[in-house]
Amino acid sequence: MDVRSELKPPVEVRYREELEALRALDTDRKPLNWKMSPKAVRTFILGSREPLSWNGKEISIRKKYLGNDALVERCIITLAGSRGLMLVGEPGTAKTMLSELLAAAISGTSMNTIQGTAGTTEDMIKYSWNYALLLAKGPVREALVPSPLYVGMEQGILTRFEEITRTPAEIQDSLISVLSDKVLNVPELGEEGLLFARPGFNVIGTANTRDKGVNEMSSALKRRFNFETVMPVRDVTLEKQIILNEVEELAQENQIAMEPDEDVAEILASTYHELREGVSSLGHRIDRPAAVMSTAEAVSVYYQTMLTAYYYGDSRMDLGCLVQNLVGAVQKENGEDLEKLRGYFQTVIRDKGGKEGGLWSSYYEARKYLR
Ligand SMILES: Nc1ncnc2c1ncn2[C@@H]1O[C@H](COP(=O)(O)OP(=O)(O)OP(=O)(O)O)[C@@H](O)[C@H]1O
Ligand SMILES: [Mg+2]
């Protein structure tokens, strides 16, 4: 077994073989400076039916984003055009994941990223100076510390801007001129200070609708982006599949030799689905918790339980432990959510236990941990 040097390798490292094979076999039309065609980018994100034969090997391209294929296609086309792409939506709907996959496929790197926070300044978006060099040599290119936006323009690659709406609106607005004119001016460099973006440059922003509102973006900036809303998964089977895929990959990366349990994934997926939708498969009305019931949370509740089974238990998923982790995830926002979760167990899970028996009854018994 090889020992990974990074805890979480970037997308382009994790899927290096898939990306190499797709590039090598790509014969379709490609926008200037893209590493692969829009068709190949699509295949990378949505998977291929048949494995690719390349370099004497069969390489399967796994479906990485499950849900809305048309959304992925629109995102790719937006990036080939002149407007930026803004992915907005509830937390944990794979906005970051999608933007990393797009950047890795199109530009070969997902790491050219600005992380938006309340403390993001204009320097971090445009450029800053290495003061030692600035004092020694004056304002020359060598003394300039380029931002990810600068690097994107200079090299013709994508710049990701994570959580853009957490940045103060007037700072966000420093993107406007770059996005409309595709030029960045560094007045200190005099005549050489005009940086014209190379083809291939574009910006992918992500914004979370639960954080400080997307509405706080200026309308001038909004007009420079095509907005795509990434919706939570609406289908239990799909959500179960996402949990299984993600957990399997996490386990592999961290060398946890344990197979995920499909039935437990189904129980968890349906719990998340029903609490999010406010209605059960048996028709009960459910009081929805205020906490975000995202697929990403479901993945982490499952994985947490799996780790406990692996390190403390007998490598079998324990429903009591699952419920304890669920409590941790749901209780984040306020105490009333726990009451709602208890109500859900007393009605929905009790009835499912009565009807289906088996794991559902054990799940109902595990309600004793809802404290
Ligand atoms: N439709 C989906 N397809 C595949 N994985 C999904 C999907 N929805 C959620 N996930 C899972 O959830 C995780 C989403 O995490 P990600 O950080 O990308 O979400 P996000 O939308 O950026 O959330 P936040 O707004 O909190 O930043 C993925 O890594 C994946 O495990
Ligand atoms: Mg994110």
Side-chain angles (χ1 to χ4, degrees), residues 64-66 90-97 163 208 233 242 246 295-296 299:
K64 299 166 191 74
Y65 174 75
L66 288 83
E90 293 268 302
T93 44
K95 300 180 294 297
T96 298
M97 183 182 103
E163 307 284 355
N208 187 317
V233 182
I242 294 173
E246 294 296 312
T295 308
V299 170

Side-chain angles (χ1 to χ4, degrees), residues 60 131 152 210 217 274:
S60 357
Y131 285 103
R210 285 254 183 152
M217 262 178 106
E274 293 179 338

Side-chain angles (χ1 to χ4, degrees), residues 6 21 44-46 50 53 59 84 112 143 154 159 166 173 201 210 230 234 240 261 298 301 308 310 319 325 340 355:
E6 301 102 345
F44 175 62
I45 298 177
L46 297 175
E50 307 283 324
S53 307
I59 298 181
N112 190 40
E154 198 172 44
T159 299
R166 296 186 59 199
D173 277 355
F201 165 71
R210 285 254 183 152
V230 188
R234 275 275 154 80
K240 170 183 159 189
D261 181 323
V301 166
T308 310
Y310 184 73
L319 289 174
N325 290 325
K340 293 180 182 166
K355 216 167 143 227

